[in-house]
Amino acid sequence: MGTGNVATTRTSSLRSAVALHGAMAVTGLIMVLFLLAHMYGNLKIFKGGEAFDGYSEYLREIGEPLLPYAGALWILRVVLLASVLIHIFSAITLWHRSRFATQGRGSRRYQSTKNRRGVQRSYASFTMRWGGVVIGLFVIYHILNLSADVIAPGGTSPSPYQRMINNFSIWWVVLSYVIALAALGFHLRHGIWSAFASLGANSSPARRRLLNQLATVVSLLILVGFLIPPLAIFAGWVSQ
């Protein structure tokens, strides 16, 4: 076999449906782990400004002196960015192939007693695509809002704690986060189950039930955990 044929075979394998589903699964689980860690960090808001700002500074000092200041944080950012791009590329590629294979009727699958229109899937599955778009836009806004402090409807501040207080004291900012987190919850509920299924964990009815329960628990944990700080701040339970 020539070198060109080997390269073509490898490229085809990397772009196969199995590889793309696997890539989506792995990158999705990486982002879930990040969300759990980020959620835990956000809950430190209840320890006060000094503790919250200290935690934010600690994230930049991890790995010193082996790594430069904020080195570990930048490694995490690169891994997350790569995961997001691979996830989006895989999703778009699979969606495009589905549309092409069904001549643009990818949403019409098969008729059942559950849905006579031929759409056999859950609400979470149905909202995966547009939920992903909402989440993507929300992430961009979130970074510009609370991380970069570029968009600051409540006022800018060098303190991460004060930025949280300033922004989540405004009702429409809180509402926008609630809407985005609801989309995230639906996305995670179906995405976590799909990730483990793509990795071969959905091997029996018992495993299927376990995966469904795990997906529900993790998605609810992340949803509630992220909702608590902004709602508590807006209610006045977190002092300035």
Side-chain angles (χ1 to χ4, degrees):
M1 181 181 292
T3 305
N5 290 335
V6 173
T8 301
T9 301
R10 287 178 179 174
T11 302
S12 299
S13 298
L14 290 174
R15 293 182 178 179
S16 69
V18 174
L20 290 170
H21 278 293
M24 284 192 68
V26 172
T27 54
L29 292 176
I30 288 173
M31 289 184 280
V32 168
L33 291 176
F34 167 74
L35 286 172
L36 287 169
H38 188 22
M39 177 203 71
Y40 170 77
N42 280 0
L43 292 175
K44 289 184 177 292
I45 195 80
F46 294 102
K47 288 190 174 183
E50 184 176 350
F52 190 81
D53 288 348
Y55 167 73
S56 299
E57 181 62 23
Y58 168 74
L59 294 177
R60 290 161 173 77
E61 297 173 350
I62 295 176
E64 288 186 321
L66 181 62
L67 295 173
Y69 179 76
L73 194 58
W74 274 107
I75 292 173
L76 175 61
R77 288 168 176 166
V78 170
V79 171
L80 284 172
L81 179 60
S83 297
V84 169
L85 293 177
I86 293 171
H87 199 80
I88 293 173
F89 171 79
S90 300
I92 292 176
T93 302
L94 289 168
W95 171 77
H96 182 267
R97 288 180 183 177
S98 175
R99 297 284 295 181
F100 180 79
T102 58
Q103 297 180 349
R105 297 190 299 272
S107 62
R108 302 188 65 81
R109 297 190 176 182
Y110 55 86
Q111 189 178 46
S112 71
T113 56
K114 195 172 182 179
N115 195 329
R116 298 290 184 181
R117 295 176 59 190
V119 181
Q120 179 68 17
R121 52 184 173 178
S122 67
Y123 182 73
S125 172
F126 183 74
T127 58
M128 283 295 284
R129 187 185 311 146
W130 291 110
V133 173
V134 171
I135 295 167
L137 294 174
F138 166 69
V139 168
I140 294 173
Y141 168 72
H142 177 73
I143 292 173
L144 294 175
N145 179 215
L146 292 177
S147 297
D149 204 21
V150 173
I151 300 176
T156 61
S157 173
S159 165
Y161 178 84
Q162 194 60 48
R163 289 201 294 269
M164 291 272 284
I165 300 295
N166 292 348
N167 285 283
F168 291 133
S169 297
I170 303 173
W171 71 268
W172 61 265
V173 174
V174 176
L175 179 61
S176 68
Y177 271 74
V178 171
I179 293 172
L181 287 171
L184 176 64
F186 283 115
H187 196 87
L188 287 174
R189 170 60 186 82
H190 184 74
I192 293 171
W193 183 92
S194 296
F196 283 108
S198 296
L199 295 175
N202 185 19
S203 56
S204 67
R207 286 283 187 90
R208 190 174 301 115
R209 287 193 297 272
L210 180 61
L211 290 178
N212 273 314
Q213 293 168 358
L214 176 65
T216 300
V217 169
V218 173
S219 58
L220 283 175
L221 176 64
I222 292 175
L223 175 63
V224 174
F226 272 105
L227 278 175
I228 288 175
L231 293 178
I233 292 171
F234 186 70
W237 298 340
V238 179
S239 62
Q240 300 190 33

